[in-house]
C-alpha cells in the first residue's frame, strides 16, 4: 500500500491600493502568481474605480477576492496606530467589507476572505476588543467569509471562537521571533530577500508547520494555509514567481484557500 | 354598487448625514413621521457609526431604508457640481450602495431604494450618462431596488428603461416651474413654508397627479409615489408632522413605497 | 504707602471647528466673552470658509487669534490617538499654522498663539518627541508665537526650552488629580458645572496659583495665564459669561495673553 | 555700433504631488533642469511631509518655489471641474498658498509665484469670478507673488488688472488652436513628443513670441516668460533636458522668472 500525503497552500497579496491618479503596486504583474487578492477598500487606499479594476483583473486570472479594510488614514496609508472604540472599528469594517461585497456582486466574484490592513491588522493581533470588533463585523456580514490571521494571534482566536474559518498566514520573507511574532522591520535581517531561502522557509512551513526563528529555535506554526507576498517592488515580483514555482516543485498544490480549508 | 378609489403615498427624508462629531439633522425627531429614510453613505456625509445608528433607528420605527449616495465632496456636502466620467460615477454608486447593503444585512433591514444626493441628483435629472451610470450600478447590485426620481426626469426614464421600479418624487414645499422643474432656491418664493399650503399641494399631487406652477398653469405629474421632506430645521419637523396627518386625514395611506409600488 | 497687586488673565476657546455644511459650536455667541480664539486649521475641523469667517468675527470683537492644529482625522474630530513620526507631526503643524498665518495676513489679525487640539494636545503633554515637533514647527514659523500648555507639562517645558513664550492654561470646569493632570472625563465628577464653583476655582487659580484636587490636596499651578472655556453647549455659554464677569468682579483684568505675558 | 538683444525664459514644472505613501512624479530627476517648481498644496496632492521635502530639494538646486493650489478633490487629482462659489475659491487659495508660505518661511525659500492646478487652472482661463477669486487671494497674501497664466487668458488679465506681475506661460509640447488655446488631449496630435520639435517651438516662442497653430496659422503669444514641462514620465525627463540645453544653445538665459520679469 502506498500512502501519499497531500499539501495545499494559498498565496495572498495586497492589491488595489492605488487611489485615483496615485498608482501603487504592480497588480497586473503579480496577479498570475497568487491565488487570493486582498483588495483595499477605500480607507487607506483603493478608490472605487481601482476596486472595480482590481476585482475584474482577479476574476480574469481566477484569483479569489478578499476585502482588505484599514484605518481611515489615507495620508498615513493605514499604517499608523489609531485608537478606535469598539463600535468605530466594527462599523468601519462593515462599511468597507460591505462596499467590497457590492463590487463582488456586480462582477460575479464572491468575496472569499477578509484580511485587515496595516496597523489595523497589527493591533488586532494583540488587542482583544479590536479583534472582536473585526470578527463580529465579518460574522454579521457573511459567516462564510474566511479571516486571515497569523496562528496563535488574538485575531485568529477571536475569529475561531466566533465560528468563522481562519486561514493561518505565514510570512515567508520575514524573520520570526521565538514567540512567533515578526522581527520588526527596523531591525537588521527583518526581511529575507534571497528567493531560495524564502522558498525553503515556505515549503518547510507548509509541510512541517515550523519556521526557524532568528535565534535558531523552531517556532511551531501549526497548519499554514496562506503565504503573504508583497506586490510593490520588482524584487517582490521575482519572489512571488519563485515562491509559486518552488511550492509547486515541492509537490504542494497552490490554490485559493477556500478550496481546501 | 360603491366604488372606492384608494390612494397611497410614501414620505421620504434625507437622514444619517452627520459625520463623526459633526451633527446635522434631527433624525430622531423626524423618524416617526416618515416611511422611507434616505441614508447618507459616507461621501457627502454619514460616517459608518452614523450609518449604523440611523439604520437601527429606522428599523425601530418601521421606516424603510434606502441608500443616498453623493459626490466625494465632504467639504461641499455633495452639493457642488463635479464632472465625473461614466465609470467614476458608476463605481462611486456601487461603492456607497454596497456599503449600505452591508449595514442593511447586519441590521436585518434590507435596502428598499436608492436616491442620489444633492448635485448628483440634480445633474442626473438631465445628464444621460450620469443617469445611466447610477441606474446600471443599482441594477447590477440588486434589481429589486427602487430608484427615487422626479417624473419625466432623465433619471426616471433611464431607470425605467433598465427595468427598475421608479418611485416618482414630489416636493411639496417647493415651487414648480411650468416645465415640471423646481424653482431655483435663489429666487423668491422657491420654498413654501405654510403647512396648510404644503399639505394642500401634497394631497392634490397624490389624488390628482398635478401641481400648480408659479405662473398658475397646472403641471402634470402622473402618479406621485413619494413626497420629500427636509429634516434639518424645526420648521421642517412641524411640516413633516402636518404633512403626515394631513395626508391621513385626506384618506391617503402613508406607507413605505415598496408596499404599494 | 499703598501697594496694589494687579492680576491679568486671558480666556480662550476653541472656535471655527465647523466644516462646510457641518456646523458645530456657538462661535458668534461665545466670542464676546473671550479674549483668545483657538481657530481650527482644517485637519480635525475648520474648512477655509469657516476659518475666514471665524477670524473676521474675532477681529470684530477684538479677540486675539491663534492656530489650533490637530491630527488629520476629520472622522474622529482629532480626538483619537495617532502614532505620527516626529517629521509627520512637525510638518503637519507647519502646514496648519502656515495656513492660518495666511488668513491672519489677509484679515490683518496677526496670529498670537498656537494651541494643539484634542489628542495632539493630550499626547504632547507627555510625549517628548511630539512636544518637540510642535515646538520646533512654531519656532521656525514665528518665534513670537505663544504656545498654550498646562504648567509642568512636557509641552510647556519644551516650548520654554526653545525660547518660546508659554501661556499656562487652567481648566476651570475640570476636576484635577493631585499630580496636576485632569480627571478623565470617563469618571464621575470630572466636569464641574456649577458656575459659582467654576468662577471660584478660576479666581483662586489666577490669584493664588493653586487648585484643589479631587482628594482635597492643593495643586501648585504657578502663574496661570489663560483659562479654557468650551463653546459647544448652552451651559458653556452661561459658564463663559459667568467666568468673564466673575473674574472682572474679583478685580482681575481679562485681556488677550499677548498683552501681559 | 553692435546691438545685442538678450532673451530670458523660465522653465516650470509641477512637483511635490505625492501623497504619503502614494508617490507620483520624478521630482529629484527633473529638478536639475527647471528654474521654478510649482509645489502641490495638499488639496489635489502634496501632504505636508512631501511639501517639506520638495521645498528642501528645490532650495538645494536653486530652483524658485511657487504654490500650486487645486480643488479639494484628492480622488480626482484636482482634474475634475467643480462649481465653487467666489468665496470658496478665494479661501481655498488663501489656505493652500498660506500653508506653502509657512514651509517657505521655515526653509528660507520665499515663494516666488502661484500657479493654479488642473481644473482650477483651466476654468480660471475663462471664468471671471474664479480668476478674480484666485487673484485677490494672491494679492492679499503677498502682492509680490507672480501669477502664472497663459497670455490673453482671463486669469492673466485679472491678475494684471489687480497690479500683480503675470508670467506668461507657454506649453512647448502641446499643439495650439488658432485662438491660442491648447488642442484638447482627446484629439490626435495634441501632445508633441519629438524633442527637436519641442525645442524649436520653445525657441521660436521666446524669441519671436509666436507659435504655429495646428492649421498652420501663426498665433501671437506676446512675451513668453515661462515654459511648462511635465515631470511624470521618462519622456518628460528627456524633454526637459533637451529643452534646457536647446534654449541655452539658442542663446537664451534660463532663469527663475522673478530674476527678469
Amino acid at each position: 500500500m502506498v500512502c501519499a500525503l497531500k499539501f495545499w497552500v494559498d498565496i495572498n497579496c495586497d492589491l488595489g491600493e492605488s487611489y485615483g491618479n496615485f498608482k501603487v503596486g504592480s497588480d497586473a504583474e503579480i496577479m498570475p502568481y497568487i491565488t487570493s487578492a486582498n483588495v483595499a477598500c477605500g480607507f487607506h487606499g483603493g478608490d472605487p474605480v481601482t476596486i472595480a479594476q482590481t476585482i475584474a483583473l482577479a476574476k480574469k486570472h481566477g484569483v479569489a477576492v478578499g476585502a482588505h479594510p484599514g484605518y481611515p488614514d489615507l495620508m498615513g496609508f493605514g499604517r499608523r496606530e489609531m485608537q478606535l472604540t469598539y463600535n468605530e472599528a466594527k462599523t468601519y469594517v462593515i462599511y468597507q467589507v460591505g462596499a467590497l461585497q457590492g463590487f463582488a456582486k456586480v462582477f460575479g466574484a464572491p468575496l472569499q476572505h477578509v484580511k485587515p490592513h496595516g496597523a489595523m491588522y497589527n493591533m488586532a493581533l494583540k488587542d482583544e476588543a479590536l479583534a472582536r470588533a473585526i470578527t463580529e463585523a465579518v460574522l454579521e456580514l457573511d459567516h462564510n467569509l474566511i479571516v486571515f490571521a497569523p496562528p496563535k494571534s488574538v485575531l485568529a482566536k477571536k475569529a475561531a471562537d466566533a465560528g468563522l474559518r481562519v486561514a493561518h498566514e505565514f510570512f515567508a520573507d520575514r524573520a520570526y521571533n521565538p514567540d512567533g511574532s515578526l522581527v520588526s522591520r527596523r531591525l537588521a535581517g527583518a526581511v529575507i530577500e534571497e528567493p531560495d531561502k524564502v522558498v525553503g522557509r515556505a515549503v518547510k512551513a507548509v509541510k512541517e508547520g515550523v519556521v526557524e526563528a532568528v535565534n535558531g529555535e523552531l517556532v511551531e506554526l501549526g497548519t499554514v494555509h496562506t503565504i503573504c507576498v508583497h506586490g510593490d517592488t520588482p524584487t517582490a515580483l521575482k519572489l512571488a514567481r519563485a515562491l509559486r514555482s518552488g511550492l509547486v516543485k515541492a509537490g504542494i498544490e497552490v490554490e485559493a484557500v477556500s478550496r481546501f480549508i
Side-chain angles (χ1 to χ4, degrees), chain A:
Chain A
M1 193 193 95
V2 178
C3 175
L5 258 175
K6 189 139 180 208
F7 296 98
W8 282 269
V9 80
D10 174 61
I11 301 179
N12 79 78
C13 185
D14 301 348
L15 294 172
E17 294 183 316
S18 296
Y19 194 80
N21 199 55
F22 300 102
K23 306 296 179 197
V24 293
S26 311
D27 294 14
E29 288 78 11
I30 206 100
M31 204 65 98
Y33 304 108
I34 66 171
T35 46
S36 289
N38 317 315
V39 183
C41 306
F43 273 31
H44 76 277
D47 70 294
V49 172
T50 297
I51 294 173
Q53 288 169 340
T54 308
I55 293 183
L57 189 69
K59 197 184 177 190
K60 192 179 131 193
H61 286 273
V63 169
V65 173
H68 193 47
Y71 284 146
D73 178 21
L74 199 65
M75 207 185 269
F77 203 59
R79 288 184 174 159
R80 302 188 291 210
E81 294 197 3
M82 290 182 76
Q83 297 296 337
L84 304 188
T85 64
Y86 171 83
N87 196 37
E88 288 169 341
K90 183 174 172 181
T91 56
Y92 291 7
V93 173
I94 294 172
Y95 183 89
Q96 294 180 77
V97 178
L100 260 282
Q101 286 179 319
F103 285 97
K105 172 80 193 325
V106 165
F107 285 94
L111 281 201
Q112 172 194 248
H113 68 281
V114 175
K115 176 180 167 180
H117 167 81
M120 184 190 270
Y121 185 80
N122 291 330
M123 291 175 77
L125 304 187
K126 297 180 186 169
D127 181 325
E128 298 241 343
L130 178 59
R132 204 157 45 80
I134 295 167
T135 297
E136 302 213 340
V138 173
L139 184 69
E140 294 173 20
L141 281 166
D142 178 359
H143 65 269
N144 283 316
L145 288 167
I146 299 167
V147 173
F148 280 25
K152 297 180 197 166
S153 62
V154 168
L155 179 59
K157 189 173 166 1
K158 289 289 165 196
D161 287 354
L164 291 164
R165 288 176 296 166
V166 181
H168 290 146
E169 187 169 27
F170 176 66
F171 297 85
D173 62 350
R174 291 293 301 277
Y176 275 71
N177 292 311
D179 68 352
S181 64
L182 299 179
V183 172
S184 164
R185 278 178 192 271
R186 274 165 292 184
L187 300 178
V191 177
I192 300 161
E193 284 171 352
E194 305 89 323
D196 285 0
K197 230 172 170 176
V198 171
V199 172
R201 289 164 74 85
V203 170
K204 192 175 178 104
V206 174
K207 291 198 165 169
E208 302 172 29
V210 293
V211 64
E212 194 180 301
V214 278
N215 68 350
E217 282 181 39
L218 278 191
V219 179
E220 289 287 338
L221 297 166
T223 307
V224 164
H225 302 102
T226 185
I227 298 174
C228 181
V229 298
H230 300 99
D232 45 3
T233 64
T235 322
L237 190 59
K238 209 190 300 178
L239 217 62
R241 208 184 294 126
L243 191 64
R244 177 95 188 216
S245 71
L247 289 165
V248 170
K249 266 185 213 145
I252 298 166
E253 301 272 342
V254 181
E255 295 272 9
V257 70
S258 53
R259 303 211 180 116
F260 62 84
I261 209 172

